[in-house]
Amino acid sequence: MGDDLAVSNANRSYSLAATSIAIFTFMLIFLYPRFASGEVSALLFQATLVVMGVATFSFVFASLHYYGSSLGGPRMDDAERARYSRRGDRFWLLGYTLLFLDPSLILFSVGLVVVGSAWFALWLVYVLFVIRYFPRVQTSHKS
């Protein structure tokens, strides 16, 4: 992975982590009062917050690994840089996949089952697409 691409990936992951934190905060502002009053499903609301937390930390870990792969220098050979990039790819994929799952969890928790099911079906299509194509776009071992 080139230095420019690694830095770009680190910045992109960092931005997605910040976006995840913003979404998490807005969920608390708008949904917590409904959770406290019993209007939303307690289990789904808490699961949604856990999913957002894991997604956020996945993006942070992806940023760390992409940053590590951009350092290079005498302390890190190309094989180790590629290893850091692949780990970053995997953390990024986990975060992105969970971030895309979140809308369906929110919709289910507020009782919009039909719309939540549509979002969940789209998420399943995305997961199938990722299973098929992610190995092709992941950082190669030789980088």
Side-chain angles (χ1 to χ4, degrees):
M1 172 179 285
D3 290 343
D4 292 340
L5 181 58
V7 170
S8 177
N9 284 343
N11 289 336
R12 188 174 300 114
S13 297
Y14 176 76
S15 296
L16 285 169
T19 300
S20 296
I21 291 170
I23 293 168
F24 183 86
T25 303
F26 281 112
M27 282 177 23
L28 286 176
I29 291 169
F30 293 110
L31 290 180
Y32 184 77
R34 292 180 72 183
F35 163 74
S37 68
E39 294 177 48
V40 299
S41 168
L43 182 63
L44 283 172
F45 178 70
Q46 292 177 50
T48 303
L49 294 177
V50 168
V51 166
M52 285 304 301
V54 173
T56 302
F57 280 93
S58 291
F59 288 133
V60 169
F61 290 138
S63 295
L64 177 67
H65 281 86
Y66 287 136
Y67 177 73
S69 73
S70 71
L71 293 177
R75 294 179 289 167
M76 189 179 297
D77 62 3
D78 286 344
E80 191 172 3
R81 289 179 72 180
R83 206 169 26 257
Y84 269 77
S85 292
R86 283 191 306 279
R87 286 183 196 147
D89 292 345
R90 291 179 191 129
F91 279 122
W92 182 88
L93 179 65
L94 176 63
Y96 204 70
T97 301
L98 291 177
L99 189 62
F100 193 37
L101 173 63
D102 201 46
S104 61
L105 293 175
I106 292 170
L107 291 166
F108 284 132
S109 68
V110 297
L112 297 173
V113 177
V114 173
V115 180
S117 297
W119 270 91
F120 187 70
L122 290 170
W123 181 78
L124 288 175
V125 168
Y126 167 76
V127 168
L128 292 173
F129 182 81
V130 164
I131 289 169
R132 180 175 171 101
Y133 291 105
F134 181 71
R136 295 181 191 170
V137 297
Q138 183 178 335
T139 302
S140 69
H141 291 276
K142 295 181 182 179
S143 184

